[in-house]
Each structure stands twice: as structure tokens, then as C-alpha cells.
Amino acid sequence: MVKIEDYHNDYENKWCPGCGNFGLLDAMKDALVNLDIAPRDILLISGIGQAAKTPHFMNCNFFHTLHGRALPIATGAKLANHDLKILVNSGDGDCYGEGGNHFINAIRRNLDITLLVHHNKVYGLTKGQAAPTSDMGFVTPQQPDGVRTDPLNPVKLALSLGASFVARGFSNNRKHLSRLIQDAIQYRGFSLVDILQPCVTYNKINSHAWFKKRAYDLYETDYQPDKLDEALFLAEEWEDKIPIGILYRKDSIPFHERIGQLKEGTLISRPYDAATIQEILSAV
Ligand SMILES: Cc1ncc(C[n+]2csc(CCOP(=O)(O)OP(=O)(O)O)c2C)c(N)n1
């Protein structure tokens, strides 16, 4: 049996006390232990940002890549070894801003990976600039008169792009978030868990108390996440109440199962034939 200590390491952590990343890290470890997934069987991938540092604090395989580029790396890793469980940790700036194009196309491909987006509505690492999710009027050192653009609604975007598993969590409801992450990991296809979290230093509006007052648990209602129109309706709820749980789930065929050659096994299990590769490369 996998234990929580198996994921522990002593890497120095400099997140601010009270940062939502702590709850998310705990929930992620809890989910992996509950599913009995050993550190050697998973790969964590992240881009750049405070959120993207999450894999540093896990004793397992990880790949810390460029800003906004976690999903392309996850794509390559999944195609090379589709037996590997892959989780991506990305900030809302990293994923929906710099990595927005990759977000769109990862949904189209329906890779069997789990994308955990740390949604704090601000750029934390670079000291508080607006993120694509920042609300109109949000004041930052760079936008002293307030943001002048509408916020991106990531769950609505994902749903409208045809995403097959779309969920929303809250970093400070760890038990609920762990359950959500478990459901996402077990889903066969692309799973998005957009996770609301406070940034205690650069977002004084969307605090722990602000989210807690509004978040309500879909697991505790009779909501069935199988109708797109109802999911789109829930995706719009924000000002007074915010649903957390699985908004939408449908059966789908993951990308690696759409590729005939991969049915014979993973690419990394094939013999490496340098001479044939050289021949192909010389011909182009
Ligand atoms: C190509 C590129 N552009 C900009 C940056 C600077 N940069 C680093 S992290 C970051 C924003 C991170 O915000 P987010 O993804 O929301 O994560 P958080 O720090 O809030 O967890 C930016 C703009 C960079 N490293 N590389």
C-alpha cells in the first residue's frame, strides 16, 4: 500500500503562509494515496509560476518546463508512454494566458491526462499582475485604475470546446478536492479540475472567506453531470454562489486509443532501431 510519506520530500517551500497551494498539494497527495498510485507510476508536469512549483514538493517523477508549455510536454510524455499517469499543475496565468493555445488543443486531442489549474485570479510569482481570470476593476500595481478586460471563464470555455470531464474545486476544501482529483485521475480522457484558491498576498478580494461563502458542493446535490446545457448554466454561477464538483462528464475515447500503432503497446517498449531512424531522417 502506498503511504503519504512515500510522496514526502524535504525541498524548501517558500509559499506564503495561507497560500491555497498548500491545500491543493495535500489534496493531490491524498488522492494519489487513496488510489494506491506509487510515485514511480506517475509523472507531474508543470510550467512556470508559484502553482507550477507544486511538483517540487512531491517525491515522484516530475518535469518543470517553460511558461505555458506544460501541456505540450504532457502530450509528448503520454504518447511515449501511455501507461504512465500524468498530472499537470498549472497556474491560471500559465494555463489560460501563456498556455491558452495549448489548453484549447489539448482538449481537442482528449489526451488521458489530468490538468489541475490553480485558479487564484492573479499572477503570483511575478508579484501581482492581472491574470486572464482577473475581474474587471481588479486593481494591481500595473493596473492602478483597475483591469479593463472581461475575465475568462475557463470552465465555460472548456465545455464549449467539447471537453469531456470538467470540474471545479476549492483548495481549502481538501477532502472534497481529493475526491475530485481521484475522479479526474480515474477518468479515461482529458480531465480539467479548475481549482479556486486564495492568493493571500496579491489578491485581497477573492480570499479564503470569499470563496468559502460562495462555494457549494455538487456531490451533495442531486445534480447529474451528464447534460451540457445544465453544465453551461452552472459554469455561469459566480457572484453569489459557485458550484464545486463535477460539472460535466461524458464517455470519450482517449487520444492514444485513436492511434492504431499505439494499440500494440507503448512507444518506449519498442526496440530502438537507430539505423532505420537514420534512414528516414536522411530521406527528408
Ligand atoms: C515566456 C514568459 N513570459 C513571462 C514570464 C514571466 N512569468 C513567470 S510566472 C508568470 C505568471 C504566473 O502566474 P500564474 O500562472 O497564475 O501562477 P501563480 O504564480 O499565480 O501561481 C509570468 C508572467 C515567463 N517566465 N516566461
Side-chain angles (χ1 to χ4, degrees):
M1 284 293 283
V2 176
K3 299 183 294 303
I4 202 99
E5 298 78 46
D6 297 338
Y7 277 100
H8 179 76
N9 72 13
D10 290 322
Y11 210 84
E12 188 184 7
N13 189 322
K14 291 189 175 170
W15 286 333
C16 307
C19 176
N21 282 333
F22 287 107
L24 207 151
L25 176 64
D26 283 355
M28 198 163 76
K29 283 186 193 169
D30 189 70
L32 290 163
V33 171
N34 270 302
L35 294 176
D36 204 27
I37 299 175
R40 66 171 178 276
D41 295 327
I42 77 155
L43 171 62
L44 297 185
I45 300 178
S46 68
I48 301 289
Q50 290 295 357
K53 290 181 187 170
T54 305
H56 296 192
F57 312 117
M58 301 266 293
N59 177 39
C60 64
N61 307 303
F62 77 81
F63 196 136
H64 193 178
T65 176
L66 298 176
H67 199 22
R69 302 298 182 264
L71 285 170
I73 299 294
T75 304
K78 191 73 193 180
L79 289 181
N81 182 5
H82 58 259
D83 287 341
L84 201 57
K85 290 269 179 223
I86 297 187
L87 270 67
V88 172
N89 284 101
S90 194
D92 48 352
D94 190 49
C95 186
Y96 305 138
E98 280 77 359
N101 179 24
H102 300 301
F103 177 67
I104 291 171
N105 290 296
I107 288 175
R108 287 177 47 237
R109 290 193 189 100
N110 196 36
L111 296 146
D112 181 22
I113 61 171
T114 294
L115 171 61
L116 306 174
V117 184
H118 303 226
H119 182 161
N120 58 6
K121 301 172 75 59
V122 73
Y123 282 4
L125 182 77
T126 44
K127 300 190 183 299
Q129 300 89 348
T133 46
S134 297
D135 288 327
M136 177 90 85
F138 182 66
V139 174
T140 79
Q142 292 71 33
Q143 289 97 357
D145 297 327
V147 169
R148 286 285 166 262
T149 45
D150 286 316
L152 179 86
N153 180 333
V155 290
K156 193 173 158 195
L157 175 62
L159 289 166
S160 63
L161 288 167
S164 359
F165 183 109
V166 179
R168 185 164 247 169
F170 174 35
S171 61
N172 296 37
N173 190 340
R174 296 177 194 201
K175 217 170 149 208
H176 179 271
L177 183 56
S178 166
R179 179 173 172 191
L180 213 48
I181 296 173
Q182 289 175 59
D183 284 344
I185 292 174
Q186 286 177 305
Y187 179 74
R188 287 171 42 75
F190 184 82
S191 47
L192 166 67
V193 189
D194 179 75
I195 302 160
L196 304 172
Q197 65 165 91
C199 172
V200 290
T201 303
Y202 297 111
N203 182 348
K204 302 291 184 192
I205 310 269
N206 308 107
S207 60
H208 167 77
W210 192 97
F211 286 125
K212 189 158 185 252
K213 189 171 157 208
R214 290 165 176 80
Y216 72 95
D217 181 359
L218 287 176
Y219 284 127
E220 285 182 1
T221 68
D222 54 11
Y223 177 70
Q224 293 300 320
D226 55 0
K227 290 176 203 69
L228 187 57
D229 56 343
E230 289 182 16
L232 281 162
F233 179 80
L234 287 186
E236 290 280 4
E237 284 191 333
W238 184 261
E239 283 306 324
D240 302 322
K241 49 180 197 162
I242 306 174
I244 56 168
I246 301 172
L247 273 71
Y248 187 62
R249 177 170 47 195
K250 68 175 177 189
D251 289 340
S252 68
I253 301 171
F255 188 64
H256 66 266
E257 287 182 14
R258 299 176 190 178
I259 309 222
Q261 291 87 336
L262 296 183
K263 289 186 180 142
E264 294 155 30
T266 60
L267 289 184
I268 56 152
S269 63
R270 312 275 177 90
Y272 174 68
D273 178 0
T276 308
I277 291 172
Q278 196 50 53
E279 211 176 292
I280 295 167
L281 289 176
S282 316
V284 287

